[in-house]
Amino acid sequence: MLIISDKSKKNSTQLEIDSRTVLAVLAIKNLNPSIYVAAEIYDEKFENHLNLAHCDEIILTTEYEHELLATASSGQGFSNVIRAMMGGDSHAGVFIEPISYKYYGKTYKEYAEARNNQTDGKKSILIGLLLNTGNFQRRRRDAIREAHKNPNVAMVIENLMKVKTLKSNEPVLLPDDDFEIRAGMKAIVVKVKEAPKNEDSNS
């Protein structure tokens, strides 16, 4: 479910708009904790409130806009790169792909090499991993189940503490080669179209 900032009421401040968003997330999660919720807010100060409400995805509209404007002012064409990466082309840009369970327990290097061998020449580049994907409650239950499998009580307690700090959909770009692939992870890939032919090279 996607919750867009409610700007329907005239003269509403950003504080009031973000407050309504947080209340909406809280209400939805109380009614159905297993539903996946993405929410838009303006002020990053409300991000912690949404995290406590177990909002699965947080969109900081103003922050993204300001960062894009700042990079555009550098004169390096960064905004055009972002448009190409995030544009509406269904065949090119940044994509999130599932990872087969057969790679769980293997390293990032092993997965990357296996994936490269299976691309059949298609232009697709693995750039990282997305951790803790999917619904927070489901991930939490899975993590608690895994934490209890350790016979060492001290390790169980340590693992349960880690569960409390789980961050939804956490991107890790270019992880170390020995980074372990685990359940709940997905691949971050960049797919590109065939480059246009250079007319000068044919003349």
Side-chain angles (χ1 to χ4, degrees):
M1 175 177 287
L2 176 62
I3 299 176
I4 302 295
S5 296
D6 179 13
K7 295 173 281 188
S8 60
K9 294 183 179 180
K10 292 183 179 180
N11 303 320
S12 289
T13 64
Q14 286 191 358
L15 175 67
E16 292 170 330
I17 293 172
D18 283 346
S19 295
R20 287 198 290 270
T21 300
V22 172
L23 289 173
V25 173
L26 284 168
I28 291 167
K29 285 293 189 178
N30 281 331
L31 289 170
N32 186 355
S34 65
I35 195 169
Y36 188 97
V37 176
E40 175 193 30
I41 54 172
Y42 290 107
D43 194 332
E44 63 180 351
K45 287 185 292 187
F46 283 86
E47 186 173 7
N48 189 48
H49 296 290
L50 289 178
N51 283 326
L52 290 173
H54 305 313
C55 184
D56 300 289
E57 198 165 340
I58 301 169
I59 305 162
L60 290 164
T61 306
T62 305
E63 179 182 316
Y64 298 154
E65 289 175 351
H66 288 172
E67 287 182 2
L68 187 57
L69 290 170
T71 54
S73 66
S74 67
Q76 297 180 17
F78 191 78
S79 61
N80 290 337
V81 174
I82 294 298
R83 180 179 293 179
M85 299 281 276
M86 306 303 297
D89 193 324
S90 60
H91 302 291
V94 178
F95 291 83
I96 306 300
E97 293 184 347
I99 298 176
S100 172
Y101 70 90
K102 68 182 180 181
Y103 295 109
Y104 295 172
K106 295 186 181 297
T107 65
Y108 177 75
K109 182 180 181 181
E110 289 172 320
Y111 170 67
E113 289 175 347
R115 188 186 178 281
N116 289 339
N117 292 333
Q118 296 170 358
T119 54
D120 299 325
K122 296 177 182 177
K123 292 199 171 183
S124 175
I125 304 167
L126 177 68
I127 62 170
L129 300 169
L130 193 63
L131 314 186
N132 306 318
T133 62
N135 176 262
F136 175 84
Q137 292 297 334
R138 197 171 296 117
R139 289 195 313 274
R140 186 172 179 272
R141 285 196 300 269
D142 292 342
I144 290 174
R145 194 180 300 116
E146 286 298 315
H148 280 101
K149 287 182 180 179
N150 197 316
N152 186 323
V153 176
M155 286 299 297
V156 170
I157 295 173
E158 183 181 339
N159 290 336
L160 288 174
M161 292 299 294
K162 289 179 181 178
V163 171
K164 295 181 68 175
T165 60
L166 278 179
K167 184 177 180 181
S168 298
N169 300 303
E170 181 180 3
V172 178
L173 300 179
L174 300 176
D176 293 335
D177 286 345
D178 60 355
F179 193 95
E180 184 183 348
I181 304 294
R182 298 187 299 275
M185 293 184 182
K186 291 186 179 180
I188 306 172
V189 301
V190 176
K191 296 181 181 179
V192 295
K193 287 182 176 180
E194 290 291 336
K197 292 183 179 179
N198 190 335
E199 295 180 0
D200 294 337
S201 62
N202 296 327
S203 59

